[in-house]
Amino acid sequence: MNIADNLQNITTTLPKTVTLVAVSKTKPVSDLTVAYNAGQRIFGENKIQEMADKWEEMPKDIQWHMIGHVQTNKVKYMAPFVSLIHGVDSFKLLKEIDKQAEKNNRVIDCLLQFHIAEEETKFGLDEKEGIELLTSNDFAALKNVQILGVMGMATFTDNQNQVKKEFTHLKSIFENLKALNPAHSNFKTISMGMSGDYPLAIECGSNMVRIGSSIFGGR
Ligand SMILES: *Cc1c(COP(=O)(O)O)cnc(C)c1O
C-alpha cells in the first residue's frame, strides 16, 4: 500500500468541483503525515478523542472533519478546532455545537446527516425533519453554527441501482432544502461517497467524498 500513490491516483481522477476528505480513522499519525506531505490538507475522523490527539500532533493548517456520530457531551473537545461536522442529526446536538462554538468565539460549519440507506443502524434525519429544523425559530436563534449542506451514507450493497437511488434521494433532499432559503449561498455541500461507491456518488451530484481504505488501506 503506497499512500502517496493512492492519493495521487484518486485526486487526479476527481473532478475539480469535488472535495476529497481523506478518512484517516484508526490510522497512525505517520500514515497521515505521508498524505500531508503529498499535499492532502483535509482529514476525516470518526472519534472525537482520536481526532483531538491527532490535531495536537499534526501541522495546524490541516482541516479536521468529524464524519462520525457525535455525542453531545463530547462536542466541547473538538469545538476549538473542528473545521466541519458532517453528522448533525438533531437540534439538540446543533444547540450544543452552537454553545461550544460561542465559548470558543467562532462559528462552526456543519452538515445535516440524512438517513438514506435501508439499514436501520445508520443515523440521520428524514427530509421532513430536516425541513422542520431549518425553518424553526429555535434554529434561527443559533448564531454560532452554519449549515453548509447535507451528508449521507448509502446501503452497503453490490446493488448499484439501489445505491444510485439512495444517492439521488439525498441530492433531491439537498435541492429541496436549498430552495427553502435561496439567499443562503453557503448551502452548497453534498457529502456522499466512500471508497466503494464514490464514482457513482459523484455521478449523482456529490461534491465532497469521504475516502479511507482506498488511500490508507484496510482497517
Ligand atoms: C469510515 C468512513 C468512511 C470511509 O470509508 P472507506 O470505505 O474506508 O472509504 C466514509 N464515511 C464515513 C461516515 C465513515 O465512517
Side-chain angles (χ1 to χ4, degrees):
M1 241 335 139
N2 184 323
I3 294 168
D5 285 350
N6 294 342
L7 193 57
Q8 207 202 340
N9 289 339
I10 291 169
T11 45
T12 51
T13 59
L14 287 182
K16 294 248 179 308
T17 51
V18 176
T19 300
L20 171 64
V21 179
V23 175
S24 49
K25 62 190 184 194
T26 78
K27 298 297 178 183
V29 162
S30 55
D31 285 3
L32 280 71
T33 300
V34 174
Y36 180 87
N37 289 339
Q40 183 64 25
R41 291 294 180 274
I42 304 177
F43 292 88
E45 291 283 336
N46 71 341
K47 293 207 170 67
I48 292 174
Q49 188 57 54
E50 184 179 341
M51 183 170 76
D53 290 346
K54 287 171 174 173
W55 166 67
E56 277 189 16
E57 277 192 61
M58 294 202 61
K60 292 297 169 281
D61 61 343
I62 290 175
Q63 295 171 40
W64 294 98
H65 286 204
M66 175 41 58
I67 62 168
H69 184 67
V70 177
Q71 284 172 271
T72 309
N73 61 348
K74 293 197 175 145
V75 171
K76 56 178 175 285
Y77 302 116
M78 64 174 165
F81 69 92
V82 69
S83 167
L84 183 64
I85 302 175
H86 290 231
V88 175
D89 63 355
S90 73
F91 179 74
K92 178 169 164 266
L93 174 58
L94 198 57
K95 197 171 167 186
E96 175 65 13
I97 295 169
D98 181 76
K99 180 177 150 193
Q100 297 300 333
E102 188 181 4
K103 278 192 188 167
N104 286 275
N105 200 16
R106 61 183 294 234
V107 172
I108 295 182
D109 291 336
C110 300
L111 303 177
L112 292 181
Q113 181 171 1
F114 286 89
H115 180 97
I116 53 171
E118 238 173 30
E119 289 137 27
E120 291 287 331
T121 51
K122 287 187 179 153
F123 298 98
L125 303 161
D126 63 27
E127 179 168 352
K128 184 163 162 280
E129 292 167 332
I131 291 172
E132 278 167 11
L133 194 160
L134 285 182
T135 55
S136 69
N137 292 333
D138 286 343
F139 172 66
L142 303 183
K143 297 293 176 239
N144 294 76
V145 287
Q146 174 170 229
I147 306 288
L148 297 190
V150 302
M151 179 268 207
M153 287 166 87
T155 304
F156 189 71
T157 172
D158 287 335
N159 184 341
Q160 295 293 294
N161 285 332
Q162 184 178 345
V163 174
K164 187 170 183 179
K165 203 179 84 194
E166 293 171 0
F167 283 152
T168 304
H169 182 205
L170 185 59
K171 164 82 163 144
S172 123
I173 291 173
F174 170 81
E175 295 299 342
N176 293 340
L177 295 182
K178 193 178 169 66
L180 289 176
N181 187 359
H184 183 14
S185 61
N186 290 334
F187 191 86
K188 53 188 173 196
T189 299
I190 306 178
S191 166
M192 61 182 186
M194 320 188 351
S195 292
D197 56 19
Y198 75 89
L200 183 55
I202 292 169
E203 257 179 57
C204 296
S206 168
N207 55 23
M208 184 174 281
V209 292
R210 310 176 308 269
I211 301 181
S213 45
S214 291
I215 298 171
F216 296 104
R219 289 178 296 271

